Amino acid sequence: AQSVSQHNHHVILSEAASLELGCNYSYGGTVNLFWYVQYPGQHLQLLLKYFSGDPLVKGIKGFEAEFIKSKFSFNLRKPSVQWSDTAEYFCAVGGSQGNLIFGKGTKLSVKP
Amino acid sequence: NAGVTQTPKFRILKIGQSMTLQCTQDMNHNYMYWYRQDPGMGLKLIYYSVGAGITDKGEVPNGYNVSRSTTEDFPLRLELAAPSQTSVYFCASSARGQRASYNEQFFGPGTRLTVL
């Protein structure tokens, strides 16, 4: 069965620090990969997605992610975080039923 | 477009009570899903539907039922509420398209359910 691992449960950064959140998935075939963000008290919103093509994917709000097939990874990055980036971040892989298989999430706290 | 809407936003149930969580989408999406989110556990799929009249179990279906009589609506029913069903419930939908695209999902605002 497909699975997704997110390495960090809680990350605390100061504003302007760089961010990298790890994500590894288990499935070795063609994958659709996603990063969703959940701001406090809100629903999940799509940050970025990878289906095929350029492995460096750019999303909203300055986020990007790199698909590395040989490492089964899809890490999320941002060069300089802001206080408003405080949220929980979920990596997900597309399942065979059209569903999403989520990692457990990483909470990001950005100190002003 | 309102997107995906869910009602109620919050609910407290007593053990053994029943209730229906409502979900409606106005994007004409064929696929709809119910997830539950528990702290530190990510989201788990409860049930899904690929179109009106078709539903199937996800990873954690026990204690729940669904129906899909229209494209727009996908209600989730709890028949005998248990404390283990305390969670945040998210409904989502996606378009039917080529394999590469149909996983992108749009989420509703969630229902926070407490069973005491």
Side-chain angles (χ1 to χ4, degrees):
Chain A
Q2 292 165 300
S3 64
V4 176
S5 297
Q6 292 184 243
H7 313 301
N8 309 102
H9 177 63
H10 192 186
V11 173
I12 302 172
L13 295 173
S14 297
E15 274 193 316
S18 64
L19 170 72
E20 180 159 4
L21 301 182
C23 172
N24 286 91
Y25 60 93
S26 63
Y27 183 58
T30 302
V31 288
N32 303 332
L33 294 160
F34 304 83
W35 276 98
Y36 279 82
V37 61
Q38 186 177 32
Y39 297 103
Q42 296 190 25
H43 62 285
L44 278 79
Q45 303 171 43
L46 182 67
L47 265 183
L48 47 80
K49 61 191 178 189
Y50 172 79
F51 291 158
S52 63
D54 189 344
L56 185 60
V57 181
K58 295 195 183 299
I60 61 172
K61 303 187 181 186
F63 286 90
E64 65 179 31
E66 185 175 12
F67 170 58
I68 303 179
K69 189 174 182 179
S70 61
K71 295 185 178 180
F72 297 87
S73 71
F74 190 56
N75 292 356
L76 181 71
R77 299 195 292 248
K78 186 171 184 178
S80 175
V81 296
Q82 301 171 321
W83 177 78
S84 58
D85 293 324
T86 294
E88 190 160 15
Y89 293 81
F90 293 92
C91 182
V93 63
S96 58
Q97 300 160 326
N99 59 310
L100 291 172
I101 298 162
F102 286 89
K104 293 185 177 181
T106 297
K107 286 187 181 174
L108 173 65
S109 299
V110 180
K111 298 183 292 185
Chain B
N1 278 356
V4 181
T5 57
Q6 292 181 238
T7 56
K9 285 191 169 65
F10 303 95
R11 185 72 185 267
I12 298 174
L13 285 181
K14 293 182 180 178
I15 294 171
Q17 286 185 319
S18 62
M19 77 164 293
T20 300
L21 282 67
Q22 301 291 345
C23 174
T24 300
Q25 53 91 10
D26 63 359
M27 297 174 282
N28 201 31
H29 285 170
N30 289 88
Y31 291 79
M32 295 187 75
Y33 312 86
W34 276 105
Y35 295 90
R36 59 176 288 171
Q37 182 182 28
D38 300 302
M41 298 301 294
L43 281 78
K44 303 286 187 185
L45 181 67
I46 305 172
Y47 269 95
Y48 69 101
S49 169
V50 301
I54 307 170
T55 63
D56 210 343
K57 296 177 180 178
E59 186 181 355
V60 289
N62 290 345
Y64 307 95
N65 275 303
V66 293
S67 59
R68 184 94 182 272
S69 56
T70 67
T71 299
E72 295 78 21
D73 300 307
F74 190 42
L76 177 72
R77 178 96 180 146
L78 284 71
E79 291 293 351
L80 290 169
S84 60
Q85 294 176 305
T86 294
S87 188
V88 181
Y89 292 84
F90 288 100
C91 180
S93 70
S94 64
R96 181 176 193 160
Q98 295 180 2
R99 182 188 179 278
S101 64
Y102 80 128
N103 291 129
E104 180 179 350
Q105 295 181 14
F106 299 82
F107 284 81
T111 295
R112 185 175 294 273
L113 176 67
T114 302
V115 182
L116 301 173

